[in-house]
Amino acid sequence: MTQALTILGLESSCDDTAVGVVRQIGDEPPEILASVVYGQAELHSAYGGIVPEIAARAHAEKLDLCVSEALRESALTLDDIDAIAVTAGPGLIGGVLSGVMCAKGISAAMGLPLIGVNHLAGHALTPRLTDMIAYPYLMLLLSGGHCQFLLVRGVDAFTRLGGTIDDAPGEAFDKSARLLGLAQPGGPAIENEARHGDPKRFRFPRPLLNRDDCNLSFSGLKTALLRQRDQIIAEKGGLTRADRADICAGFQQAIVDVLSEKTKRALRIYLQGQPAVPSFAVAGGVAANSAIRRGLETVCAENGVAFHAPPLALCTDNGAMIAYAGLEMFKAGHRDGLDLTARPRWPLDQTSPSILGSGKKGAKA
Ligand code: KG4
Ligand code: ZN
């Protein structure tokens, strides 16, 4: 009989408490039996960023509830679970610890195997959960906390081809929206404004395009936007709706151009390895941006590479991606003991040198 594996996955590394249940029977497509996400946005909104202590407390309060809800949603009990997967880093230490402690408790009480998952591996393996894409593929993580090109060669074989040297793109969208008096999250707000703006009226910089690598930079764009805003205000005493829309369109176009160009470079490196089924996947909240998506799809089409973008609910932080990464790790024989530690920093590719510090959402690895 073909073996069925059912994994419970816990995620609490940032501001979402999430638990998922994923099952795979033999080599059939994996199935998400449950995915429960409790966001904490309203707990942090008054502070203009995530407060780690508040996040950790909320995770500790919600995790048990999320586990019960995920089991109820999947019509299972802990007796039906084969292993517990948990995000063990990178992220805000208090939140990661809450998840690891909860997972250890369940593991010890039920005698279930425990698997510590790298949060970024969860994102990076999601296209296999949704589309079963074959290794090796090229992945671009684009969110409020992450930004990197990853060559995904296997369940624990990642090569980082490049990433941001300062802000993540979501941070740039959010901070820029704030500068323009737009609502948070800034990405969708800027995209909406940009729809009726002229991307050519203001010229924004295209950072790092002069460097032939896959690294990116977004903090200068935000500064350029601030300067542009202040210049218009100095000249005219304020911004009209059209000014704001044009700024948004120019800003977004700069990000599209930079991401498209750097993706071309990353694809060139990836294609040198002559993958049997060339595939590219994008994930993270910023991947919801249709101009960015169109730009990346075009680059992929020009290079004969299949383009994949998991549904948004699986692009952003969730427990199903951790359960799925745990499932692949379990199959590969990976097990952790009760000495599993929470790692605030945990680069997926241990061999590449670190390229950045810590952003508003904690260590980005
Ligand atoms: O992956 P995500 O949900 O959360 C973490 O970063 O953990 O990403 C959130 C980010 C926010 O910065 C938000 O502004 C951005 O994704 N975002 C977008 C869009 N929708 C969400 N950025 C650009 N365009 C969008 N349509
Ligand atoms: Zn994430």
Side-chain angles (χ1 to χ4, degrees), residues 11 13-14 119-120 123 143 146 315-317 321:
E11 157 61 38
S13 64
C14 190
H119 176 83
L120 299 172
H123 281 301
S143 73
H146 327 293
C315 273
T316 53
D317 290 352
M321 72 179 189

Side-chain angles (χ1 to χ4, degrees), residues 140-149 162-177 184-188 190 215-222 225 251-252 254-256 258-259 282-289 292 296 356 359-361 364:
L140 173 57
L141 296 183
L142 285 180
S143 73
H146 327 293
C147 177
Q148 49 188 296
F149 286 103
T164 182
I165 61 167
D166 41 54
D167 288 350
E171 280 180 276
F173 272 106
D174 293 345
K175 290 175 182 169
S176 299
Q184 295 293 313
I190 290 188
N215 285 338
L216 298 132
S217 162
F218 296 100
S219 69
L221 270 171
K222 174 193 66 200
L225 181 138
F251 170 85
Q252 181 176 275
I255 293 187
V256 170
V258 169
L259 286 175
V282 65
V286 180
N289 186 292
I292 293 176
L296 299 175
L356 46 69
K360 86 177 158 125
K361 295 198 171 178
K364 283 173 260 177

